[in-house]
Amino acid sequence: MPELPEVENVRRGLQPMLEGAVITGIRTSAVQLRFPYPAGLDERLVGRTINTVGRQAKYLTIGLDTGDILLAHLGMTGTFRKASIGDRVRGHDHFTLVLNRHDDDFELIYNDPRRFGSIGFVSAGHEHPFLRDLGPDPLLSSFTGSELATILDRRRIAIKPALLDQHAVSGLGNIYVCEALFRAGIHPTRPAGGLSPHEYDVLVDHIRAILNEAIDAGGSTLKDYRKADGTSGSFQDRFAVFDREGKSCRNCDDKIVRMTQAGRSTFFCETCQR
Ligand code: ZN
């Protein structure tokens, strides 16, 4: 499942391809993605120029010259690829933008076998409900330990599932939460609201450092994630705890343990995390 670093890499791959491109047509498949396609997408997109390719949490935000925004979420298995006009359609191709940029006609195709992804549309001056409810982006420099402490204040649920809640912090997924808690030396079952001010600071520093390292490594490739150019990320080679059950901790000699919290696997070291 793509997390923030993977989505950021997709964004960086799409940006030079899309900025300045004019949308000359769209195609949607007969089956819907996680949500129905927005009504009237054709009229709202065709003829528009793409000005920006941004990201908010795990959403790609494609900004148009009208001020409207085309939203894309990759779900579990979503990928984008650039194709030539008339290229053979592949299974699970669901949404296509036909584009023209610098006299070059091409297509951007969204493929998603499991269809947990979505395409949305935000009219200029409006806020999409998906985006409105998101917590702060941990990569913003304004995100600090004291802000995290305020968000998690007195929450009794464990810190691990609390950090996965997109209303608390947006864009964090299972991999990077496990890795950040390990580096911060914080046990995943501690109550979310019960860390010391210093621990919140340390945790935020590690969250940001890990996300930046993972972005630089091209993200983590587990099953389906590919960057926009079809290549894989390499951060999975640097996991300290994630998916390493029974292997030696990189810090001490103990074995990495796996447990289930809120239906998700947590990987951690019982010696290094307190
Ligand atoms: Zn250890």
Side-chain angles (χ1 to χ4, degrees):
M1 182 166 185
E3 297 189 20
L4 190 154
E6 291 78 45
V7 179
E8 176 61 19
N9 270 281
V10 171
R11 187 195 72 75
R12 291 179 185 187
L14 292 178
Q15 188 172 33
M17 192 191 302
L18 295 185
E19 281 186 358
V22 177
I23 302 170
T24 58
I26 70 162
R27 285 197 307 273
T28 53
S29 64
V31 288
Q32 77 168 53
L33 298 170
R34 183 168 184 191
F35 304 107
Y37 293 105
L41 209 47
D42 217 319
E43 302 88 87
R44 291 156 129 178
L45 295 181
V46 174
R48 309 282 32 116
T49 299
I50 296 174
N51 280 350
T52 55
V53 181
R55 177 189 60 75
Q56 197 172 336
K58 292 194 252 186
Y59 289 90
L60 290 165
T61 56
I62 299 174
L64 309 178
D65 54 355
T66 46
D68 298 337
I69 292 170
L70 180 66
L71 273 187
H73 192 288
L74 302 175
M76 303 276 287
T77 55
T79 52
F80 280 104
R81 73 171 190 278
K82 186 180 180 182
S84 299
I85 304 288
D87 271 3
R88 194 173 58 84
V89 174
R90 298 181 191 169
H92 312 296
D93 282 353
H94 291 296
F95 179 75
T96 301
L97 289 176
V98 186
L99 297 154
N100 175 278
R101 186 171 181 272
H102 302 326
D103 296 326
D104 179 25
D105 290 300
F106 62 98
E107 296 181 348
L108 181 73
I109 300 175
Y110 178 73
N111 184 286
D112 189 351
R114 295 190 62 185
R115 289 189 279 124
F116 283 106
S118 60
I119 299 291
F121 188 87
V122 190
S123 299
H126 288 72
E127 217 176 1
H128 197 281
F130 294 162
L131 301 182
R132 187 182 53 219
D133 297 335
L134 290 172
D137 187 316
L139 284 181
L140 296 176
S141 54
S142 56
F143 180 63
T144 60
S146 61
E147 184 180 9
L148 182 62
T150 305
I151 292 167
L152 299 178
D153 185 36
R154 279 177 239 158
R155 294 195 62 182
R156 286 192 182 164
I157 73 160
I159 185 70
K160 158 75 189 328
L163 290 173
L164 287 179
D165 177 0
Q166 301 297 302
H167 306 304
V169 183
S170 64
L172 284 181
N174 209 20
I175 295 172
Y176 301 106
V177 169
C178 289
E179 295 292 318
L181 287 172
F182 172 76
R183 286 201 198 176
I186 294 169
H187 198 284
T189 61
R190 299 233 342 243
L195 307 191
S196 71
H198 177 68
E199 285 176 316
Y200 287 115
D201 285 342
V202 169
L203 182 55
V204 164
D205 285 348
H206 283 297
I207 286 171
R208 191 174 289 129
I210 281 179
L211 291 174
N212 280 316
E213 285 172 38
I215 289 168
D216 291 344
S220 305
T221 299
L222 298 179
K223 295 192 190 78
D224 306 290
Y225 159 74
R226 295 286 181 277
K227 289 190 281 180
D229 62 2
T231 59
S232 306
S234 65
F235 193 71
Q236 68 277 6
D237 301 335
R238 288 195 237 158
F239 290 165
V241 288
F242 187 82
D243 208 18
R244 295 192 69 241
E245 183 183 14
K247 295 185 177 153
S248 291
C249 173
R250 300 197 198 278
N251 218 18
C252 68
D253 280 337
D254 275 357
K255 300 279 183 253
I256 300 301
V257 177
R258 183 180 74 86
M259 68 173 169
T260 302
Q261 285 180 289
R264 309 286 302 274
S265 287
T266 300
F267 299 90
F268 68 107
C269 174
E270 287 179 299
T271 305
C272 296
Q273 293 174 252
R274 297 281 169 171

